[in-house]
Amino acid sequence: KRCFNWAVAEGLIDRNPLAGVKKPAASRREFLVSDEQHAAMIAAEDRGRESDRRAAVFRAVLIALKHSGQRPGMVASVRVEDVADDCSAWVMRQHKNRRKTGAPLVIYLSPCLQALTRAAIGSRTSGPLFTNSRGEPWTSNAIRCRMRELRRKLGLPAGAVAYAYRHTWITGALKNGVGLAENAELAGNSDLKMISRHYGHLDKEA
């Protein structure tokens, strides 16, 4: 529909033939990553030998996904320069909702994520915070591919994708009494209805 609308605006066609077609409602996010599944993925990636560095570096990404509640692309894009001086937060000046909010996204770090961030920075002053075995920044597609490998290796359900960590984090916050507005702020989501409609898995936590 967007392509046809563009073609109409450019004068390439007279009308959008799909203008009256209604999109199906977005499906609700259902899969939550359990502590046991996260532990199994960490164990599968927890290798100390230099020859296994490719596996070990992804462990940091998994921990960051679990503790930050952020989108995989956001975790992949964090840079050393985005880390607050006291390592209490990532201050993302470029993010998905910057155009709507006009403000940087502040991602407050748990003690675990603070320690992980310090270790990832090391002695560096710039560059991507999380890097792969070649020292290059992770991409959303690379994270997706590694999660697919883990699902295959551990026999995890199809819903065990990187984005499921975000759903799990937000649902856990709701279950622990964090209000919709605060939850949206912490998760970097500008739409309260989106939180309520797609991320409130409280019925799964009975």
Side-chain angles (χ1 to χ4, degrees), residues 43-78:
E45 296 294 318
D46 189 7
R47 304 173 184 175
R49 299 188 302 275
E50 182 62 27
S51 60
D52 290 325
R53 174 170 165 72
R54 177 178 179 271
V57 293
F58 191 60
R59 179 179 53 186
V61 175
L62 290 172
I63 295 172
L65 289 170
K66 177 177 175 61
H67 283 267
S68 70
Q70 296 303 310
R71 301 172 180 86
M74 181 65 70
V75 171
S77 67
V78 178

Side-chain angles (χ1 to χ4, degrees), residues 1-129:
K1 290 178 73 173
R2 182 173 296 176
C3 289
F4 280 123
N5 286 337
W6 172 85
V8 171
E10 293 293 315
L12 301 176
I13 58 177
D14 294 329
R15 64 181 187 85
N16 181 349
L18 300 181
V21 177
K22 293 184 178 181
K23 295 185 294 183
S27 59
R28 180 175 169 178
R29 318 289 188 182
E30 293 293 347
F31 187 84
L32 301 179
V33 180
S34 69
D35 290 341
E36 292 76 18
Q37 290 166 336
H38 175 70
M41 287 189 278
I42 289 293
E45 296 294 318
D46 189 7
R47 304 173 184 175
R49 299 188 302 275
E50 182 62 27
S51 60
D52 290 325
R53 174 170 165 72
R54 177 178 179 271
V57 293
F58 191 60
R59 179 179 53 186
V61 175
L62 290 172
I63 295 172
L65 289 170
K66 177 177 175 61
H67 283 267
S68 70
Q70 296 303 310
R71 301 172 180 86
M74 181 65 70
V75 171
S77 67
V78 178
R79 296 182 61 82
V80 173
E81 300 94 312
D82 298 324
V83 179
D85 292 339
D86 61 356
C87 211
S88 63
W90 299 336
V91 183
M92 309 295 292
R93 291 166 181 81
Q94 299 298 325
H95 59 92
K96 181 179 180 180
N97 294 317
R98 179 61 188 262
R99 187 172 298 178
K100 291 182 180 179
T101 65
L105 169 63
V106 180
I107 302 169
Y108 299 99
L109 307 184
S110 67
C112 175
L113 199 47
Q114 289 181 32
L116 180 69
T117 298
R118 290 190 183 96
I121 292 175
S123 59
R124 295 181 299 145
T125 58
S126 63
L129 183 61

